[in-house]
Amino acid sequence: MTTAFLGIDIGGTGSRSRLVSADGTVLAEGSGPRGAVTAVGSAGPDLALALIEQALRDSPDSAIVGIGIGATGIATLVADPNDLVRRVRERVPRASVAASIDAVTGHLGALSGASGAVIAVGTGAIALGADFRGVWNRVDGWGHLLGDRGSGSWIGMRALQAAMRQRDGVVADAGALLDAAQERFGEPMTWPGQLYTRDDRAGVLASFAADVAGLDDPSARQIIREAATEAAHSAVAALRGLPPRISATGGLLRSDEYAATFRAVVRELRPDAELVAPAGGPLDGAVQLARLVVSAPPAPAAGFLWA
């Protein structure tokens, strides 16, 4: 049997797993649906268990000794995250298990366990400042109705609102946004029915963010700059009591306008801050958490990590 560590990342655009051996060789990888939110809460726990089953099937000769799970919404939309840990232990009794909010695995992946702040801007947005010893600063991650400032869903919502104002004749400068929105979603009269009834509304909104970022249009570029400014403020706020080290992850950073604005605003707010390129992503962090829970078990931290 090969000793193995399983990392699981449940995000707003999809779920992924990676099973690695002690020397880092990838033994199996899996994928699944996005972490949708339903009337009964987050689907994250069920997705995590499904990915564990997939890993067990795909690599039957592996002895999984550590499992690290990072899941969006686990702190606010799951009644008892400890129940997920218990269910995983029942399925894989020999494994040490840790579950965390996705910001923890994002932090581990980006800064390789070093202290500082990491902001992840994807479908949602959350910043975490941590030293993994006692400082845990969460900023945002409150979902697309209450927060996720600067995220893909934030951009998509504001772009659709601008497009609807153009449609209503309230503004005359959002024609490009209206055209792009109609190309993706069809006639504006159908948008409420497409969005208000969806469990995965945040993901649908975020799907429009790439269209917005690709427009050569002043109104679209302004929304991108506003989003990056929001993200920079969140990242800086997460630095309280920590070394001034910031890393940013997520697909939105592929937009040159977003990335440049983010860097400029961070430098304005915290000239002493070091901007660090991420060493890895959330799935890398989940694998690292799986290793940590075996070699140096982290202490549970309410609202952040359960083990």
Side-chain angles (χ1 to χ4, degrees), residues 251-274:
L252 288 173
L253 277 303
R254 289 194 289 268
S255 162
D256 292 340
E257 185 121 44
Y258 192 107
T261 303
F262 177 84
R263 290 192 297 267
V265 176
V266 167
R267 291 192 186 102
E268 179 183 343
L269 296 172
R270 284 294 299 264
D272 62 328
E274 177 189 9

Side-chain angles (χ1 to χ4, degrees), residues 152-191:
S153 60
W154 190 96
I155 291 169
M157 182 180 294
R158 273 146 190 80
L160 282 173
Q161 289 170 343
M164 195 62 91
R165 288 195 295 271
Q166 176 79 23
R167 180 265 174 207
D168 288 345
V170 175
V171 300
D173 60 354
L177 289 169
L178 178 57
D179 290 343
Q182 287 178 309
E183 184 173 347
R184 177 169 287 272
F185 298 109
E187 288 302 310
M189 286 291 290
T190 70
W191 298 354

Side-chain angles (χ1 to χ4, degrees), residues 2-276:
T2 302
T3 299
F5 303 87
L6 179 63
I8 294 174
D9 171 47
I10 308 292
T13 56
S15 51
R16 303 173 297 160
S17 66
R18 181 178 296 153
L19 186 70
V20 303
S21 64
D23 65 2
T25 300
V26 176
L27 303 173
E29 292 189 319
S31 61
R34 65 180 68 170
V37 179
T38 70
V40 296
S42 171
D46 291 335
L47 293 174
L49 288 162
L51 287 169
I52 289 169
E53 294 293 343
Q54 184 177 351
L56 293 171
R57 289 194 305 270
D58 291 347
S59 189
D61 295 328
S62 296
I64 301 176
V65 297
I67 299 176
I69 302 168
T72 182
I74 191 172
T76 53
L77 298 171
V78 174
D80 182 9
N82 285 304
D83 182 60
L84 170 59
V85 174
R86 286 191 294 268
R87 291 168 67 189
V88 173
R89 283 180 179 152
E90 288 172 0
R91 184 62 186 89
V92 193
R94 295 186 179 132
S96 298
V97 181
S100 72
I101 61 174
D102 55 345
V104 169
T105 47
H107 196 294
L108 285 169
L111 291 181
S112 302
S115 301
V118 174
I119 183 164
V121 283
T123 297
I126 184 169
L128 176 66
D131 62 4
F132 297 94
R133 293 185 298 275
V135 177
W136 296 89
N137 301 327
R138 171 179 174 156
V139 179
D140 208 352
W142 306 124
H144 68 286
L145 294 179
L146 298 177
D148 284 351
R149 299 179 296 271
S151 69
S153 60
W154 190 96
I155 291 169
M157 182 180 294
R158 273 146 190 80
L160 282 173
Q161 289 170 343
M164 195 62 91
R165 288 195 295 271
Q166 176 79 23
R167 180 265 174 207
D168 288 345
V170 175
V171 300
D173 60 354
L177 289 169
L178 178 57
D179 290 343
Q182 287 178 309
E183 184 173 347
R184 177 169 287 272
F185 298 109
E187 288 302 310
M189 286 291 290
T190 70
W191 298 354
Q194 291 185 57
L195 293 169
Y196 295 158
T197 59
R198 297 286 292 260
D199 291 336
D200 58 348
R201 186 186 311 118
V204 176
L205 289 168
S207 70
F208 189 42
D211 300 346
V212 178
L215 289 175
D216 183 15
D217 172 75
S219 295
R221 290 199 299 270
Q222 180 62 27
I223 290 173
I224 296 298
R225 288 194 295 270
E226 289 173 358
T229 298
E230 292 282 359
H233 278 269
S234 293
V236 168
L239 276 179
R240 297 185 305 274
L242 293 166
R245 183 183 298 117
I246 293 174
S247 188
T249 69
L252 288 173
L253 277 303
R254 289 194 289 268
S255 162
D256 292 340
E257 185 121 44
Y258 192 107
T261 303
F262 177 84
R263 290 192 297 267
V265 176
V266 167
R267 291 192 186 102
E268 179 183 343
L269 296 172
R270 284 294 299 264
D272 62 328
E274 177 189 9
L275 286 166
V276 180

